[in-house]
Amino acid sequence: MTVRTRFAPSPTGYLHIGGARTALFCWLYARRHEGVFILRVEDTDRERSTEAAVQVILDGMRWLGLDWDEGPFFQTQRFDRYREVVQQLLDSGHAYHCYCSTEELEAMRAEQRDRGEKSKYDGRCRERTEPREGIKPVVRFRMPLNGVTVVEDQVRGRVEFDNRELDDLIIARSDGTPTYNLTVAVDDADMAITHVIRGDDHLNNTPKQINIYKALGLKVPSFSHVPMILGPDGAKLSKRHGAASVMDYREQGYLPEAVVNYLVRLGWSHGDQEVFSREEMIRLFDIADINHSASTLNPGKLEWLNQHYIMARPAGELVDELVWQLGRLNIHPGSDRGYLARIIASQQGRSKTLLEMAGNSRFFFEAPTEYDPKAAKKHLTAEAGAVLGQVADALRSLKPWDAESIHALVAAQAESAGLKLGKVAQPIRIAVSGGPVSPPIDQTLAILGREETLARIERAGKWIARQNA
């Protein structure tokens, strides 16, 4: 048997973190078993589905590196097929026309509530053979009235549903459009899906879909319902917990491999291992190892993973992502990839996100127009002005211009002035960066270059002179 999994998002919003984790689990299971991963867009809600939302889903999947083998398929392009199946179910007696009006259904539910009963369709049209004038009927699926429907779930184990509790669900609306449970069952059958992996909010739909499968004489796939993801406060995940969309994580400066590693650990584990390469995930992932309880977001762990992957990547491979982040901050870095790679190398151990790296690297592209007030008051003193002048004189003739030579020069200037190294390095740092924090001063000056370094030190010296005039 060839394993065939599918991810089937609805394009009514963003690709959120829960959906992305489901997509990852489906992708990993298919890849581990050298199977097929299918992308299907469930866009039958035509009022809420948008092309923009479809594009966001595709962008998110591509950014995460979750490539699909077939698709994307769109349910709105399969309406003829759904109508064919609805007619097949009508012809076989597994479905029937329901002529109940909205008012009648509301009255029926009110009576059930008054009796303390569960609200469900009472089957009053199950045996009806005559149409009602002026009413366009819906089509309902005829659920079994007795026994149980069993879901052999790979995550939750055996789950039984009393058929007496199941509703005769609508499978086609009065305008002929199909409903969710019919389209999903038909699509999964037509696409030969062997393993359905999805959120446990779909568990109650599963017995309905199983009975549709049986009515059509089709093989039932294997089901795995994955527990939900909770916010750090233990509440159901919502926008207030942070990123609403997977692409929000990119905007916040996270690398896709960090997000994927983070997602795979939300509900799955392999011993105490925290960091997984993509190859390790594919080799080790198994549905049987998915946790039975809900997972909780841990932003601190995502930051830790992201910093790990920032440090692990060769600096040159991060250039494009840093350029993207700089552009969002309206910083124009130019096209010198070597210069950018040197900046990244100096910041890798200091940055939890690429957004943080971009913000902290602004001074490499724009000379400071002002200085951090607290740092300037402490370090850009009249005494520091004299030291900066001496450092500038020495730097003009320094050869070679590299971090090692710059470090030796700054250390020598501090020793000759009888000062600690920080008393020399910190005024230089504020002069060239505008603030008290930067990569090591020797790396910083080496990257900026002789001309830019001297210009910034000279500008700071003039600023000090004006403050003491």
Side-chain angles (χ1 to χ4, degrees):
M1 178 187 68
T2 299
V3 167
R4 292 174 64 88
T5 67
R6 50 69 161 180
F7 176 54
S10 298
T12 54
Y14 302 107
L15 176 58
H16 56 79
I17 200 75
R21 183 188 65 169
T22 298
L24 174 61
F25 285 179
C26 293
W27 184 88
L28 285 172
Y29 196 72
R31 293 290 173 262
R32 178 183 178 180
H33 294 280
E34 298 183 348
V36 178
F37 175 58
I38 297 166
L39 178 60
R40 183 173 76 224
V41 179
E42 299 188 340
D43 58 344
T44 53
D45 187 345
R46 288 180 285 188
E47 289 186 4
R48 296 174 60 214
S49 298
T50 66
E51 289 186 13
V54 170
Q55 192 58 52
V56 167
I57 290 169
L58 299 181
D59 289 345
M61 296 283 286
R62 291 187 180 109
W63 184 68
L64 292 172
L66 304 182
D67 55 319
W68 50 92
D69 304 302
E70 296 178 13
F73 299 107
F74 295 86
Q75 288 188 327
T76 49
Q77 297 173 4
R78 290 174 46 80
F79 276 9
D80 287 346
R81 173 61 178 149
Y82 304 138
R83 280 191 285 268
E84 177 185 306
V85 174
V86 169
Q87 189 60 52
Q88 180 183 342
L89 291 169
L90 284 168
D91 293 343
S92 65
H94 288 99
Y96 60 92
H97 288 110
C98 174
Y99 292 88
C100 295
S101 66
T102 302
E103 293 75 19
E104 287 173 321
L105 293 172
E106 288 177 351
M108 178 194 72
R109 295 188 188 102
E111 291 172 7
Q112 290 171 335
R113 285 194 297 270
D114 290 343
R115 295 194 298 267
E117 298 174 357
K118 178 182 176 181
S119 180
K120 65 188 287 283
Y121 183 66
D122 62 7
R124 61 183 64 182
C125 285
R126 278 176 76 104
E127 308 306 325
R128 188 183 187 96
T129 57
E130 296 297 321
R132 286 178 67 178
E133 189 176 344
I135 294 181
K136 287 185 176 181
V138 299
V139 178
R140 289 185 182 272
F141 181 78
R142 196 187 299 271
M143 282 289 176
L145 297 177
N146 300 299
V148 296
T149 299
V150 177
V151 180
E152 296 290 355
D153 194 278
Q154 290 197 71
V155 174
R156 300 173 64 97
R158 182 183 177 92
V159 185
E160 294 186 357
F161 292 85
D162 187 338
N163 288 336
R164 292 172 297 179
E165 298 295 316
L166 300 180
D167 220 342
D168 280 0
L169 70 151
I170 295 172
I171 57 174
R173 303 179 183 89
S174 59
D175 63 359
T177 58
T179 59
Y180 171 78
N181 283 296
L182 177 94
T183 61
V184 168
V186 172
D187 287 346
D188 285 344
D190 287 355
M191 296 173 188
I193 301 302
T194 61
H195 293 77
V196 174
I197 305 169
R198 58 190 180 187
D200 63 3
D201 54 327
H202 285 288
L203 181 60
N204 287 334
N205 289 321
T206 305
K208 305 170 187 176
Q209 293 163 19
I210 287 176
N211 281 299
I212 292 174
Y213 270 102
K214 290 179 177 179
L216 293 169
L218 299 169
K219 185 179 179 181
V220 178
S222 169
F223 288 98
S224 302
H225 290 90
V226 181
M228 69 173 63
I229 300 173
L230 304 177
D233 56 359
K236 186 177 179 181
L237 201 59
S238 67
K239 290 182 180 180
R240 66 189 172 86
H241 291 114
S245 162
V246 164
M247 297 309 285
D248 288 346
Y249 285 96
R250 185 190 184 197
E251 292 184 1
Q252 292 172 12
Y254 294 97
L255 290 170
E257 55 264 47
V259 175
V260 167
N261 195 150
Y262 180 64
L263 287 175
V264 81
R265 288 288 288 111
L266 281 175
W268 174 83
S269 61
H270 180 74
D272 295 328
Q273 187 172 341
E274 291 289 350
V275 179
F276 295 85
S277 68
R278 191 157 298 220
E279 292 72 21
E280 286 178 310
M281 291 182 208
I282 292 171
R283 178 168 52 85
L284 298 171
F285 180 80
D286 195 340
I287 293 173
D289 297 327
I290 293 175
N291 297 342
H292 296 185
S293 56
S295 304
T296 304
L297 285 183
N298 183 342
K301 180 173 285 187
L302 176 57
E303 283 192 346
W304 176 81
L305 280 168
N306 201 57
Q307 186 166 33
H308 166 83
Y309 281 104
I310 286 175
M311 292 176 66
R313 276 254 212 127
E317 292 183 8
L318 293 172
V319 168
D320 291 336
E321 201 66 28
L322 180 64
V323 168
W324 187 78
Q325 291 289 352
L326 291 168
R328 294 182 62 245
L329 297 177
N330 201 30
I331 300 171
H332 308 290
S335 58
D336 187 341
R337 295 181 67 86
Y339 182 68
L340 288 159
R342 293 173 70 196
I343 293 169
I344 291 168
S346 74
Q347 298 277 32
Q348 280 176 293
R350 312 167 57 83
S351 306
K352 293 179 180 178
T353 70
L354 285 167
L355 177 59
E356 179 186 27
M357 182 186 289
N360 290 340
S361 298
R362 178 184 291 273
F363 74 90
F364 281 112
F365 310 98
E366 302 171 355
T369 56
E370 55 186 24
Y371 305 105
D372 177 89
K374 186 175 179 181
K377 182 178 180 180
K378 182 176 180 180
H379 295 286
L380 295 188
T381 60
E383 179 186 15
V387 171
L388 286 176
Q390 294 166 6
V391 169
D393 288 341
L395 288 173
R396 283 190 182 91
S397 57
L398 178 67
K399 291 182 180 179
W401 186 269
D402 57 29
E404 185 178 354
S405 301
I406 292 169
H407 179 83
L409 184 148
V410 173
Q413 290 292 317
E415 185 177 355
S416 65
L419 298 171
K420 291 183 178 180
L421 185 62
K423 287 289 187 180
V424 178
Q426 199 64 357
I428 299 172
R429 174 172 286 111
I430 296 165
V432 299
S433 72
V437 179
S438 79
I441 198 63
D442 49 4
Q443 292 181 34
T444 299
L445 300 192
I447 293 168
L448 282 172
R450 188 193 312 271
E451 184 178 340
E452 186 64 23
T453 295
L454 292 173
R456 294 187 185 192
I457 290 176
E458 182 180 350
R459 190 178 300 119
K462 291 179 179 178
W463 183 89
I464 292 171
R466 288 196 299 273
Q467 305 307 305
N468 292 280

